[in-house]
Amino acid sequence: QVQLVESGGGLVQPGGSLRLSCAASGSTLEYYAIGWFRQAPGKEREGVACVASHRDGSTYYADSVKGRFTISRDNAKNEAYLQMNSLKPEDTAVYYCAPACTVRGVRTWGQGTQVTVSS
């Protein structure tokens, strides 16, 4: 079973950018679909973006981030990424990566990485 660890969060001003990383161990990342999720205080965890496994490679984005966020993967480094541009205060949340594209499909959550968008 693949284990994933998120990193790259931080404090950024509105309009700024961050790149989140998702490092895999225990298995080869390219065989899994990889999803990024987030949970804001008082809200349910939601899917943000997903990239299919290496056989497909198609991507999915939530409407709220479409055009601003880009999901990618580097199979050689066994990592996935979430490039976040034009960040808004409503993007503030703990971000998680997981080997699934839906919240229901995730068996175990990591610790996540905090993203705070504030001036």
Side-chain angles (χ1 to χ4, degrees):
Q1 182 70 23
V2 65
Q3 289 86 43
L4 303 178
V5 177
E6 308 90 345
S7 64
L11 173 64
V12 63
Q13 293 186 342
S17 298
L18 279 176
R19 189 178 83 151
L20 305 184
S21 297
C22 176
S25 62
S27 187
T28 302
L29 195 62
E30 67 177 310
Y31 298 124
Y32 296 86
I34 299 297
W36 282 97
F37 305 83
R38 66 186 181 187
Q39 187 167 21
K43 294 188 177 181
E44 293 187 354
R45 197 164 299 185
E46 62 176 355
V48 173
C50 186
V51 57
S53 66
H54 72 294
R55 292 178 179 268
D56 185 335
S58 57
T59 57
Y60 159 83
Y61 296 94
D63 288 343
S64 59
V65 306
K66 203 170 292 183
R68 300 188 297 121
F69 290 12
T70 303
I71 189 171
S72 62
R73 62 198 306 158
D74 186 332
N75 293 329
K77 294 184 177 180
N78 220 25
E79 293 184 346
Y81 310 99
L82 185 67
Q83 178 67 44
M84 305 186 297
N85 298 329
S86 302
L87 282 162
K88 304 175 181 180
E90 51 263 45
D91 294 318
T92 295
V94 178
Y95 283 72
Y96 304 86
C97 64
C101 285
T102 63
V103 171
R104 191 174 297 182
V106 180
R107 298 172 62 183
T108 304
W109 294 98
Q111 291 190 334
T113 185
Q114 175 72 48
V115 172
T116 302
V117 185
S118 174
S119 56

